[in-house]
Amino acid sequence: MAAEDPSVHSATPPAQANAAGQRQRKKPQTPSARKTSTASSASQTSKISDKLARLGLRTDMDFLLHLPMRYEDETQVLGIREAALRGGSQVQIEGKVLSADVQYRPRRQLIVTIADDSGQATLRFLNFYGSQLKQFSAGARVRARGELRHGFAGPEIVHPSYKMVTQGAPLPTALTPVYHTAEGISQPLLRKAIASAIMRSEWRDTLSPARLAALGLQGFEASVRLLHNPPPEADQYSLLERHHPAWQRMKFDELLAQQLSLKRAQQTRRRQGASALPLVGELSNAFLLTLPFSLTRAQEKVLAEIRHDLRQTFPMQRLLQGDVGSGKTIVAALAAAQAIDNGFQAALMAPTEILAEQHFRKIAAWLEPLGIRTVWLTGSLKKKDKEQASAQIANGEAQLIIGTHALIQDSVQFKKLGLVIVDEQHRFGVGQRLNLANKAEAGKIPHQLMMSATPIPRTLAMTYFADLEVSVIDELPPGRTPVLTRVIDQQRRDEVIVRVHAAALEGRQVYWVCPLIEESEALQLQTATDTHAMLSAALPDVRIALVHGRLKPAQKQAVMEDFSRQQTQVLVATTVIEVGVDVPNASLMVIEHAERFGLSQLHQLRGRVGRGAAASICLLLYQSPLGGTARQRLAIMRESNDGFDIARKDLELRGPGEFLGARQSGEALLRFADLETDQPLVEKARNLAEELLRDDPVTVAAHLHRWMGNKEEFLRV
Ligand code: ADP
Ligand code: MG
């Protein structure tokens, strides 16, 4: 049994039990709901296990691996006066209740005043039960924890966690674990459930003592026990910061499981087989000859890697990374040419219609003169056109198919799909790629080339894409002049308009990107329309066009075509131009509210200029005042033109979670390890994964079973 009485804690409403560190605040149960839930103990047990299951806690191992999210230091009580001096930090105080009142203004709340020898403090509860009011009878002794702030009536803690104690009640001697939990599951309940799982558990280490010694890691059992119940002498700092050897072991295991499962998924795909596309034939050669430039060394290198993969009888799974403007499209088109040379179809999928269209126009212009039938397929095609495209895809007439995710709809049947190219792969969901993979000949999957212009630093790539080969184009085509970037206060808009005018008079072209307004597409559209009107009024002698996501595809195409033919000089755009637009004569880019964009997005946008010989400028307008991080981020943009460098710095500022956005498969897999700070562990895990997959299937199975349970189904195959 735990030393403390859990019933004391569970008097706290759920909103408080998990308030700290929890992202969402749930509505507390009403007192009446609470009463009815105690009616039948059997149904309550099943309710609790349902709730636990929703937290992913079913088996004993699930409980063991439900490691503390953080720890609370309840080992000290501060005098109220001293605690007040530390304002803002987490403190624990103890005192006698002077008064407890329910107030109704500005809203119903319970105000408890306590005092110790040094002073008084207020405990404020915005959600509470009637029973709590009784608990806080005058003279009762309460120990409360939370952030002590200076309120209206002196120091106060809003929603403290607390317990009623007797005078001189002993303090815990070790850190108290705090678990991720959900409404209706109190911390004490979770602690008890975990303690009993620990008691029942059979401890088997998935790694042998010899291996552990070689890796410098400690045992699984000892680590798990320590993390749930840190002994008083454990180093608190390293526990809180997760450097402790026990954490190291858990992180290592987690990373190992992730590497094993990604690599095993890769092996499974390999076993499925693919048609070899060995021939670099007439089309490929003719295509290279017609290009007005020669490939860069970096393009040659990645092309060789792709060609090598395409010769194999198992599917290529390659991620092609390259900065904006590094020339990925041509490499993709050459890969497609090789598939076609071998009598197969190739498909290219892009995340937006505009991008797909750009690819289509560009690649069709390259390949159609060489006799290749290129077909365009998106969701917005007229029914008749869609049917016609589908028929050509099915009968094999279409050799290269370019489009949006309409390509993966079930109704689209390919005659002989050999290669799938996915541009901006990070924007597609995992499942979408999976569907496309099912479109090859029976028993086979097509070769896959993923392209990304959001460069992923090496550590991340190693971990998140352990199942992919990675090629990098690390050089830009010659003759590019770096884009000069300036960060400018929005208030100086008039000066910016003067520069736009000057550029237009010199025959150059300008993009004006409107602010990203995530919460409202309508508002974003409105802003773009207003900006267009404002610029048109200010510059009557300049031809100004507007493009945004609500335009019909044909309208959009017309606007883009006018701009690339220099019929219009300024293009006011919402973020739809982010990717793929290629107008070399454009040399000035204005981005409004640059502080709202992600760095890689800004870099993408900026990549739309600097494509021709003219020196290009990017003006990042911001709304002052700028916060510290926002200032730093814009400074990164000003100082660097290198997408990899920017990505690395962005990662330092934001951390990997935000940086990667949601990559479902990867995210589900890493709860404890931090890709940045745990890099040495990542490398060890990677090496061991390779070794185990080669010669220790029993350990692989045991380790995956322990760590993944049934989560592996989330991984793409
Ligand atoms: P991204 O990698 O951003 O997709 P693109 O494939 O759109 O880049 O290429 C950017 C521009 O560079 C295009 O206009 C393309 O025709 C041109 N380009 C690509 N490769 C070369 C090269 N080796 N030499 C000169 N220009 C090139
Ligand atoms: Mg591109």
Side-chain angles (χ1 to χ4, degrees):
M1 266 308 279
E4 54 191 333
D5 178 7
S7 65
V8 178
H9 266 296
S10 53
T12 310
Q16 284 165 239
N18 32 327
Q22 287 290 76
R23 234 171 275 151
Q24 338 122 269
R25 269 281 179 87
K26 304 257 172 75
K27 261 207 314 214
Q29 274 181 303
T30 61
S32 64
R34 187 164 163 266
K35 270 191 202 103
T36 51
S37 74
T38 51
S40 140
S41 81
S43 86
Q44 190 177 23
T45 310
S46 81
K47 258 196 199 141
I48 288 176
S49 60
D50 282 354
K51 284 175 183 160
L52 289 170
R54 249 173 280 140
L55 276 175
L57 302 176
R58 295 177 186 86
T59 67
D60 281 351
M61 195 49 68
D62 293 337
F63 282 94
L64 296 192
L65 295 182
H66 195 66
L67 297 172
M69 180 169 69
R70 55 192 178 80
Y71 296 89
E72 267 176 6
D73 186 354
E74 297 181 352
T75 60
Q76 283 187 58
V77 167
L78 293 182
I80 290 174
R81 204 177 113 81
E82 195 196 337
L85 290 175
R86 295 198 188 175
S89 58
Q90 288 280 324
V91 293
Q92 182 164 248
I93 54 177
E94 184 176 320
K96 270 193 191 160
V97 175
L98 297 181
S99 66
D101 298 300
V102 178
Q103 291 185 359
Y104 290 89
R105 242 162 261 191
R107 51 174 284 193
R108 186 171 177 270
Q109 49 185 298
L110 172 61
I111 305 289
V112 180
T113 313
I114 64 169
D116 67 6
D117 297 342
S118 68
Q120 283 190 20
T122 303
L123 310 179
R124 187 187 296 273
F125 298 89
L126 301 173
N127 305 295
F128 60 95
Y129 302 134
S131 60
Q132 283 175 281
L133 186 54
K134 290 196 203 106
Q135 245 181 348
F136 293 119
S137 56
R141 182 167 278 274
V142 58
R143 199 174 273 170
R145 268 186 54 77
E147 195 182 306
L148 192 74
R149 280 186 298 215
H150 296 282
F152 210 53
E156 73 167 22
I157 305 181
V158 180
H159 281 299
S161 47
Y162 71 94
K163 61 178 161 185
M164 311 311 296
V165 292
T166 52
Q167 173 110 43
L171 286 164
T173 51
L175 293 179
T176 311
V178 179
Y179 297 100
H180 173 66
T181 185
E183 185 180 339
I185 306 283
S186 68
Q187 292 289 333
L189 191 148
L190 210 43
R191 273 180 220 142
K192 244 169 106 176
I194 290 168
S196 61
I198 288 178
M199 231 142 66
R200 277 194 302 270
S201 218
E202 274 183 47
W203 298 92
R204 216 172 0 90
D205 210 306
T206 54
L207 303 179
S208 68
R211 265 208 182 100
L212 290 177
L215 291 162
L217 292 170
Q218 68 175 44
F220 179 75
E221 173 173 359
S223 302
V224 172
R225 285 182 182 274
L226 185 137
L227 292 174
H228 288 296
N229 297 301
E233 69 277 12
D235 176 13
Q236 303 202 353
Y237 177 76
S238 70
L239 276 177
L240 293 169
E241 295 293 310
R242 301 194 170 187
H243 302 148
H244 193 281
W247 273 121
Q248 296 289 106
R249 173 62 203 268
M250 304 316 282
K251 291 178 182 185
F252 178 83
D253 273 22
E254 177 179 56
L255 288 164
L256 179 64
Q258 191 226 23
Q259 296 291 311
L260 284 173
S261 63
L262 285 172
K263 289 212 152 63
R264 210 166 63 157
Q266 183 183 37
Q267 288 181 346
T268 310
R269 282 195 303 258
R270 287 189 170 211
R271 273 197 298 275
Q272 271 181 274
S275 304
L277 310 170
L279 186 67
V280 176
E282 221 173 296
L283 176 63
S284 302
N285 294 326
F287 182 19
L288 273 175
L289 283 176
T290 59
L291 280 181
F293 47 73
S294 49
L295 297 182
T296 62
R297 224 170 2 102
Q299 284 171 318
E300 295 275 9
K301 181 192 68 188
V302 302
L303 182 61
E305 288 164 352
I306 291 167
R307 287 186 165 164
H308 168 269
D309 287 359
L310 293 179
R311 282 198 290 273
Q312 313 304 315
T313 52
F314 55 84
M316 168 167 79
Q317 292 282 332
R318 190 171 281 278
L319 176 69
L320 175 57
Q321 292 203 61
D323 205 347
V324 185
S326 62
K328 293 182 292 293
T329 318
I330 194 79
V331 173
L334 282 160
Q338 184 165 339
I340 297 166
D341 263 336
N342 286 273
F344 282 80
Q345 292 169 304
L348 191 157
M349 196 160 83
T352 65
E353 293 228 344
I354 271 207
L355 181 54
E357 208 171 289
Q358 287 271 333
H359 279 314
F360 178 69
R361 286 200 283 149
K362 194 166 197 172
I363 296 177
W366 283 331
L367 296 183
E368 295 236 297
L370 301 171
I372 300 308
R373 186 82 181 89
T374 313
V375 161
W376 160 247
L377 183 66
T378 69
S380 66
L381 276 187
K382 289 205 200 75
K383 189 156 180 275
K384 201 177 106 246
D385 294 338
K386 211 183 279 178
E387 279 167 7
Q388 195 195 345
S390 297
Q392 290 174 338
I393 295 169
N395 67 22
E397 215 178 293
Q399 292 165 292
L400 177 58
I401 303 94
I402 299 179
T404 57
H405 57 268
L407 275 184
I408 59 168
Q409 273 160 12
D410 282 342
S411 59
V412 184
Q413 290 299 326
F414 290 82
K415 174 95 186 298
K416 211 177 171 195
L417 183 61
L419 170 68
V420 171
I421 301 163
V422 186
D423 197 11
E424 295 297 311
Q425 79 54 245
H426 63 280
R427 294 211 194 175
F428 287 92
V430 172
Q432 290 184 330
R433 288 211 303 281
L434 204 100
N435 286 347
L436 194 50
N438 291 338
K439 293 203 172 283
E441 297 167 287
K444 296 197 171 163
I445 55 179
H447 295 281
Q448 290 181 53
L449 181 65
M450 275 70 83
M451 298 197 284
S452 169
T454 304
I456 293 140
R458 209 180 100 80
T459 338
L460 281 193
M462 260 169 57
T463 316
Y464 273 79
F465 302 114
D467 55 339
L468 304 180
E469 310 293 331
V470 179
S471 288
V472 182
I473 305 185
D474 53 7
E475 147 186 52
L476 294 179
R480 296 276 168 84
T481 41
V483 179
L484 187 71
T485 301
R486 288 278 169 266
V487 179
I488 299 175
D489 192 319
Q490 196 108 338
Q491 283 174 351
R492 293 169 55 197
R493 229 183 200 226
D494 288 349
E495 292 167 48
V496 173
I497 293 171
V498 169
R499 293 179 90 148
V500 169
H501 196 200
L505 290 184
E506 283 169 29
R508 289 184 286 126
Q509 286 169 285
V510 181
Y511 294 105
W512 187 295
V513 181
C514 294
L516 178 74
I517 303 174
E518 271 170 357
E519 52 279 22
S520 162
E521 199 195 330
L523 201 57
Q524 179 155 340
L525 183 60
Q526 184 59 48
T527 313
T529 315
D530 292 349
T531 306
H532 179 251
M534 179 275 292
L535 282 174
S536 302
L539 306 173
D541 55 339
V542 176
R543 288 184 305 277
I544 302 173
L546 172 64
V547 66
H548 54 75
R550 288 276 181 86
L551 290 182
K552 294 221 174 68
Q555 294 173 309
K556 230 184 280 180
Q557 181 170 347
V559 174
M560 297 310 295
E561 252 162 38
D562 279 352
F563 189 66
S564 45
R565 293 207 198 103
Q566 302 190 35
Q567 301 296 311
T568 49
Q569 293 146 297
V570 177
L571 184 65
V572 176
T574 56
T575 48
V576 292
I577 63 154
E578 184 189 340
V579 278
V581 181
D582 193 12
V583 181
N585 189 50
S587 63
L588 175 59
M589 160 130 338
V590 180
I591 303 176
E592 282 198 80
H593 274 291
E595 76 279 4
R596 292 191 193 162
F597 291 85
L599 288 194
S600 67
Q601 207 176 4
L602 285 176
H603 184 62
Q604 287 279 335
L605 284 167
R606 182 172 59 180
R608 301 307 112 207
V609 293
R611 301 197 150 221
S616 294
I617 299 181
C618 175
L619 304 178
L620 301 177
L621 305 192
Y622 65 88
Q623 176 81 54
S624 53
L626 270 186
T629 312
R631 189 175 298 276
Q632 272 176 291
R633 297 174 69 234
L634 293 182
I636 293 174
M637 291 306 297
R638 189 181 56 221
E639 281 151 25
S640 183
N641 258 300
D642 175 341
F644 284 87
D645 188 37
I646 291 169
R648 194 171 42 73
K649 291 181 172 147
D650 199 14
L651 178 67
E652 278 165 18
L653 282 179
R654 290 201 289 167
E658 265 187 82
F659 176 82
L660 283 166
R663 188 186 182 220
Q664 300 94 315
S665 58
E667 227 150 43
L669 299 185
L670 288 180
R671 290 184 282 169
F672 310 127
D674 176 318
L675 292 177
E676 228 189 320
T677 52
D678 297 322
Q679 186 174 355
L681 285 179
V682 174
E683 295 192 21
K684 281 185 191 174
R686 193 173 138 98
N687 294 337
L688 183 60
E690 268 165 26
E691 189 188 318
L692 292 177
L693 283 168
R694 207 169 46 233
D695 46 44
D696 194 348
V698 176
T699 299
V700 171
H703 195 81
L704 281 176
H705 178 71
R706 168 165 293 172
W707 278 88
M708 308 294 296
N710 54 8
K711 287 189 207 79
E712 250 193 312
E713 71 205 37
F714 293 126
L715 282 175
R716 68 206 131 94
V717 172

